[in-house]
Amino acid sequence: MINISVLGYGTVGSGVVEVLNTNQDSINKKAGNEINVKYVLDLRDFEGDPIQKKVVHDYSVIVNDPDVQIIVETMGGTNPAYQFVKEALEKGKSVCTSNKELVAKHGAELLQIAREKKVNFLFEASVGGGIPIIRPLNQSLTADEIEEITGILNGTTNYILTKMSTEGSDFETVLKDAQAKGYAERNPEADVEGYDACRKIAILTSLAYGMQVDYEDIYTEGITKITDKDIKYAKALNASIKIFGTSKKSGDKVYAMVAPMMINDKHPLYSVNDVFNGIFVKGNLLGDVMFYGKGAGKLPTASAVVADVVDAAKHLGTNIMTIWSSKKLELASIDEASQKFFVRLEGSKEQNEAKVKEVFGTVTEVKAGFQDEYAFITPEMKEKAFGEAVNKFENMISRIRVAF
Amino acid sequence: MINISVLGYGTVGSGVVEVLNTNQDSINKKAGNEINVKYVLDLRDFEGDPIQKKVVHDYSVIVNDPDVQIIVETMGGTNPAYQFVKEALEKGKSVCTSNKELVAKHGAELLQIAREKKVNFLFEASVGGGIPIIRPLNQSLTADEIEEITGILNGTTNYILTKMSTEGSDFETVLKDAQAKGYAERNPEADVEGYDACRKIAILTSLAYGMQVDYEDIYTEGITKITDKDIKYAKALNASIKIFGTSKKSGDKVYAMVAPMMINDKHPLYSVNDVFNGIFVKGNLLGDVMFYGKGAGKLPTASAVVADVVDAAKHLGTNIMTIWSSKKLELASIDEASQKFFVRLEGSKEQNEAKVKEVFGTVTEVKAGFQDEYAFITPEMKEKAFGEAVNKFENMISRIRVAF
């Protein structure tokens, strides 16, 4: 029997217990051992709930119990998750976590401790919910040099953008609907400002290059400025707007960003809608592979955590090598990244055309039936040059990067 | 240094050497050791090629060399691949193979020997070419009970069906074009009759349920009877025709089949075109996940083999547990599988309508502008009932299963 303990009995933590109960037989068979939940750490008591008899309020009971071999951390945040996880690893317990903040910030250090102690620090659920992406990146795509990772990494914003597109509603209306349905949190900042996607692309990029990518260094732009009019222009182009987390190798440099993108149906992520996530990886020999599934939700996320528990159970006493050193990967400035941009200006075509031609050269006009504005797609140009060019237009309404 | 040997220097075998040479540094870093190709087994000499000095013609040189720790088998077929691989495992060498025939037929036994000898038998490249699917199924989807696996598992037939659809050409014309481009073999039977997809769905189903699925037991239907007229009907329905390998759990039974399917754009595999493969897996808690990429080709397949070599190098002396017992999984008869069917009959609507209504009940007519035939989609019905019903029509031109 392998004893595990779950830290935090919220959505994902209670999901982990539910997954273990529901698929008990097949999970034990695959783990090669019976998995038993010995403790649950939570501030609450859960009176009347069958879990009540396993609840403890004091972490030292868990971390000092030599019978506990695997810790599941589903508290979120870094305090006290970081201290708890570090202590568990140092005491020779494996840890499985869904906590992207913890992994993005302290992944390199925690993996190092796990290596020294011959235990495992696993975090499949921290990116892409139930979609296998961490393990494939670590263990399946190892023959390739990764040239690009681009993902729709946040289900909430993908839901909002999909609804804005299908229903023609504006951002605020759809956000309220998403909050009412439980798809968006009451404080939606982490999702809609792109912070969540930023931590996830930081984790994927760190694993792809084996070095620490600090998420604070990643240019991050959310979807709060996307309007229903922008969506109508996208539709006029048979395109859609998605928020991408991307990292790309360019020569010996890597740059990363989170930003809304206009894509058309030639893009492998075009049909990733609603709360689904999709992650596209380009290897130098393999070409393109894509992973798709539910990027969030109680059971898909808990399923990924439990798959890590099974892996940890199969690897008791052996460290699964994961290359992610604490050496910092200096990201290149996105100034040199190059693409087309969709731009909307106040005023008529006649009022803007000459100046636009002077500044951007030949552009492609986009019409969506709105009066008193002029919209176009620029030629491919560098971020820096675009920034300087667009600064010359005080009448700019919006601009969105274009990937076609 | 870890010495490997490559058996068979054909497309995939030479690709393995190319991948190892191209990404030498990053591969050695991920393997935690230098990977060195010590021997290549082939009947040919490759005079003047740098590989020449590594070529041997006698397998006993390789299998009896205690310095060789990992064998790459890329010969194909089961004779002599099976004997060679078995001997290698028995002598304590890990084996990585791209050989679906070998894996489908002898996977359970070879995994058992690997387990006893504390080595590994890995076969990521046997299904889906460069797409990670074997390892995710074994190691990432372990918390779930698998309810369905459906894949576009053969790039050649997907290419043919895509071209028939985009160019309106008939099967024979497109097959000749595919052969000229090297996408189809001169003897295309294994692909176009569905045998290749059948072996692959047998492997995936064996892994999903941990028991032996004999591919001979899987109902298999190829694409040779699909005509340009069938494709035009599909287009009239905004649908496309794909050849699927499928296994589904229904109660405590599993059934499996390979057959052409009409699908529409609501299906997750709808946009998998050309030589790409896509594999869709449904877990009881996870929901749907999908894996997409190049299912064939020298470098994508070789990349998957080399990823297995890296994994074998990381696990020298430790067996990665894979549950696939030799106990046979008795597949349920597809007689009880239930779906709609597209049917074309000779003769006009007037000539057929009454009898069709009598036999099938209310059907949905499909029009694609062809005279002298009557086409329709049946209500959902069991395979057996459909077979009996359609036997009453000697004027049947074709029938294709429908998944919408």
Side-chain angles (χ1 to χ4, degrees):
Chain A
M1 191 165 78
I2 294 177
N3 286 301
I4 76 168
S5 293
V6 178
L7 314 187
Y9 200 67
T11 305
V12 180
S14 63
V16 165
V17 174
E18 186 177 335
V19 169
L20 287 166
N21 288 337
T22 308
N23 290 342
Q24 197 169 16
D25 292 346
S26 68
I27 289 168
N28 290 344
K29 190 176 163 194
K30 287 173 192 164
N33 216 321
E34 189 193 336
I35 307 287
N36 174 56
V37 179
K38 185 162 183 182
Y39 306 110
V40 167
L41 181 77
D42 206 286
L43 293 172
R44 296 162 289 181
D45 284 314
F46 301 100
E47 257 179 69
D49 187 308
I51 205 69
Q52 188 185 0
K53 62 183 187 299
K54 300 191 172 180
V55 171
V56 296
H57 303 306
D58 177 5
Y59 182 54
S60 69
V61 174
I62 296 171
V63 80
N64 292 317
D65 184 337
D67 285 348
V68 174
Q69 289 149 296
I70 300 170
I71 300 277
V72 168
E73 188 278 304
T74 50
M75 295 186 291
T78 57
N79 184 17
Y82 168 62
Q83 289 79 0
F84 284 5
V85 167
K86 192 172 170 181
E87 197 181 345
L89 293 169
E90 282 169 345
K91 294 217 159 129
K93 302 178 196 306
S94 287
V95 176
C96 308
T97 182
S98 59
N99 185 337
K100 59 196 165 283
E101 180 81 21
L102 174 72
V103 176
K105 208 156 187 164
H106 302 288
E109 182 197 358
L110 296 170
L111 281 166
Q112 174 63 23
I113 300 172
R115 206 171 300 124
E116 285 161 10
K117 296 292 177 180
K118 290 200 167 59
V119 294
N120 288 289
F121 177 60
L122 301 173
F123 44 88
E124 182 62 71
S126 67
V127 181
I131 306 171
I133 179 63
I134 301 291
R135 197 171 279 105
L137 207 50
N138 263 337
Q139 291 177 37
S140 296
L141 305 179
T142 50
D144 272 62
E145 296 190 0
I146 305 300
E147 294 182 339
E148 179 180 349
I149 301 176
T150 292
I152 294 175
L153 298 168
N154 180 275
T156 304
T157 46
N158 202 37
Y159 175 83
I160 291 173
L161 290 170
T162 304
K163 281 283 163 195
M164 285 176 73
S165 178
T166 53
E167 294 177 359
S169 323
D170 64 16
F171 174 76
E172 291 299 336
T173 308
V174 178
L175 175 61
K176 281 196 186 106
D177 161 69
Q179 285 171 321
K181 287 192 173 133
Y183 292 157
E185 300 188 33
R186 253 186 308 174
N187 182 353
E189 205 190 357
D191 293 320
V192 299
E193 296 293 358
Y195 304 151
D196 174 83
C198 172
R199 276 139 188 82
K200 290 170 175 171
I201 194 68
I203 293 171
L204 296 178
T205 310
S206 296
L207 286 172
Y209 301 103
M211 292 167 73
Q212 173 67 23
V213 174
D214 289 342
Y215 60 74
E216 296 88 345
D217 296 347
I218 298 175
Y219 174 83
T220 300
E221 191 181 311
I223 63 164
T224 54
K225 287 177 191 160
I226 305 288
T227 66
D228 45 340
K229 282 192 180 175
D230 293 321
I231 303 261
K232 288 206 174 73
Y233 278 105
K235 284 196 165 175
L237 287 159
N238 283 317
S240 67
I241 301 172
K242 301 285 182 189
I243 177 166
F244 276 0
T246 301
S247 63
K248 270 189 197 169
K249 206 167 174 175
S250 170
D252 56 354
K253 289 181 178 169
V254 176
Y255 69 88
M257 71 192 291
V258 173
M261 278 286 201
M262 232 185 234
I263 60 174
N264 69 10
D265 65 359
K266 303 284 175 251
H267 197 286
L269 298 177
Y270 180 76
S271 54
V272 178
N273 290 315
D274 297 314
V275 294
F276 282 86
N277 284 16
I279 302 154
F280 155 87
V281 182
K282 192 198 241 351
N284 68 329
L285 302 175
L286 181 64
D288 300 346
V289 289
M290 212 256 286
F291 304 84
Y292 169 89
K294 282 211 180 111
K298 176 177 180 164
L299 292 179
T301 307
S303 167
V305 175
V306 173
D308 277 352
V309 170
V310 170
D311 215 14
K314 285 163 73 175
H315 284 88
L316 286 181
T318 322
N319 177 257
I320 304 164
M321 191 170 75
T322 300
I323 298 178
W324 177 350
S325 85
S326 55
K327 194 175 153 196
K328 186 167 166 171
L329 179 69
E330 292 294 345
L331 294 174
S333 158
I334 65 163
D335 281 356
E336 299 301 306
S338 184
Q339 59 212 333
K340 296 175 187 171
F341 295 82
F342 165 78
V343 180
R344 283 166 58 204
L345 300 177
E346 281 173 3
S348 67
K349 179 174 179 178
E350 290 66 32
Q351 289 169 305
N352 284 295
E353 203 175 15
K355 187 173 168 191
V356 165
K357 193 169 171 57
E358 186 195 318
V359 175
F360 289 104
T362 305
V363 300
T364 309
E365 187 179 356
V366 186
K367 290 181 184 170
F370 298 114
Q371 302 302 314
D372 293 324
E373 53 179 79
Y374 177 52
F376 58 89
I377 294 178
T378 69
E380 187 168 320
M381 57 196 301
K382 294 197 168 170
E383 288 272 349
K384 189 177 179 184
F386 173 77
E388 287 166 1
V390 89
N391 267 342
K392 295 176 182 153
F393 294 86
E394 289 183 357
N395 58 337
M396 188 193 73
I397 306 168
S398 69
R399 90 283 179 279
I400 300 168
R401 291 166 183 84
V402 175
F404 55 86
Chain B
M1 191 165 76
I2 293 176
N3 286 301
I4 76 168
S5 294
V6 179
L7 314 186
Y9 200 66
T11 305
V12 180
S14 62
V16 166
V17 174
E18 187 176 335
V19 169
L20 286 166
N21 288 337
T22 308
N23 290 342
Q24 196 168 18
D25 292 347
S26 69
I27 289 168
N28 290 344
K29 190 176 163 195
K30 286 174 193 165
N33 215 320
E34 188 193 337
I35 306 286
N36 175 55
V37 179
K38 186 162 183 183
Y39 305 110
V40 167
L41 181 77
D42 206 287
L43 295 171
R44 295 161 291 181
D45 284 315
F46 301 100
E47 258 179 68
D49 188 308
I51 205 70
Q52 187 185 1
K53 60 180 190 300
K54 300 193 173 180
V55 171
V56 297
H57 303 307
D58 177 4
Y59 182 53
S60 69
V61 173
I62 296 172
V63 80
N64 292 317
D65 184 337
D67 283 349
V68 174
Q69 289 150 296
I70 300 170
I71 301 276
V72 168
E73 187 277 305
T74 50
M75 297 185 290
T78 56
N79 184 19
Y82 168 63
Q83 289 80 0
F84 284 5
V85 166
K86 193 172 168 179
E87 195 181 346
L89 293 169
E90 282 169 344
K91 294 214 160 131
K93 300 177 196 309
S94 287
V95 175
C96 308
T97 183
S98 59
N99 185 337
K100 58 195 164 286
E101 180 80 22
L102 175 72
V103 176
K105 209 157 185 163
H106 302 288
E109 182 197 359
L110 297 170
L111 281 166
Q112 174 62 23
I113 300 171
R115 206 171 301 126
E116 286 161 8
K117 296 291 177 180
K118 290 202 167 61
V119 294
N120 288 291
F121 177 61
L122 302 172
F123 45 88
E124 182 62 71
S126 67
V127 181
I131 307 171
I133 178 63
I134 301 290
R135 197 171 278 103
L137 206 51
N138 263 338
Q139 291 177 38
S140 296
L141 305 179
T142 50
D144 273 59
E145 297 190 0
I146 305 299
E147 294 183 339
E148 179 181 348
I149 302 176
T150 292
I152 295 174
L153 298 169
N154 179 275
T156 305
T157 47
N158 203 37
Y159 175 83
I160 292 173
L161 291 169
T162 304
K163 281 283 163 193
M164 284 176 74
S165 176
T166 52
E167 294 177 359
S169 322
D170 64 16
F171 174 76
E172 292 299 335
T173 309
V174 178
L175 175 60
K176 280 195 189 106
D177 161 69
Q179 286 171 320
K181 286 191 175 136
Y183 291 157
E185 300 188 32
R186 254 185 308 171
N187 181 353
E189 205 190 355
D191 293 320
V192 300
E193 295 293 357
Y195 305 151
D196 175 82
C198 171
R199 277 138 188 82
K200 290 170 176 170
I201 193 69
I203 294 171
L204 296 178
T205 309
S206 296
L207 286 172
Y209 301 104
M211 292 167 74
Q212 174 66 22
V213 173
D214 289 341
Y215 60 75
E216 296 88 345
D217 297 346
I218 298 175
Y219 174 83
T220 299
E221 191 181 311
I223 63 163
T224 55
K225 289 177 188 158
I226 305 286
T227 66
D228 45 339
K229 282 193 180 173
D230 293 322
I231 303 261
K232 288 206 175 76
Y233 278 106
K235 283 195 168 177
L237 288 158
N238 283 319
S240 66
I241 301 172
K242 301 286 183 192
I243 177 166
F244 277 0
T246 300
S247 63
K248 270 190 197 168
K249 206 168 176 177
S250 169
D252 56 355
K253 290 180 178 170
V254 177
Y255 69 88
M257 71 192 294
V258 173
M261 277 287 201
M262 231 183 235
I263 60 173
N264 68 11
D265 66 358
K266 303 283 175 254
H267 197 286
L269 299 176
Y270 181 76
S271 54
V272 178
N273 289 315
D274 296 315
V275 295
F276 282 86
N277 284 15
I279 301 155
F280 155 88
V281 182
K282 191 197 244 342
N284 68 331
L285 302 175
L286 182 62
D288 301 345
V289 289
M290 213 256 287
F291 304 85
Y292 169 90
K294 283 212 180 107
K298 177 176 178 162
L299 292 179
T301 306
S303 166
V305 175
V306 173
D308 277 351
V309 170
V310 170
D311 216 13
K314 285 162 73 174
H315 284 88
L316 285 180
T318 321
N319 176 256
I320 304 165
M321 191 171 76
T322 301
I323 298 179
W324 178 351
S325 86
S326 55
K327 193 173 153 197
K328 186 167 165 170
L329 179 69
E330 292 293 346
L331 294 175
S333 158
I334 65 162
D335 282 355
E336 300 301 306
S338 184
Q339 60 213 332
K340 296 176 188 171
F341 295 82
F342 165 78
V343 180
R344 283 166 59 205
L345 301 177
E346 282 173 1
S348 68
K349 179 174 178 178
E350 290 66 33
Q351 289 168 305
N352 284 295
E353 204 176 14
K355 187 174 168 190
V356 165
K357 192 170 171 60
E358 187 196 318
V359 174
F360 289 105
T362 305
V363 299
T364 309
E365 187 179 358
V366 186
K367 290 182 184 170
F370 298 113
Q371 301 303 311
D372 292 325
E373 54 179 79
Y374 177 52
F376 57 89
I377 294 178
T378 70
E380 188 167 319
M381 57 197 299
K382 294 198 169 170
E383 289 271 349
K384 189 177 179 184
F386 174 77
E388 287 165 1
V390 89
N391 268 343
K392 296 177 182 154
F393 294 87
E394 289 183 358
N395 59 337
M396 188 193 75
I397 305 168
S398 68
R399 90 284 179 277
I400 299 168
R401 292 168 181 84
V402 175
F404 54 87

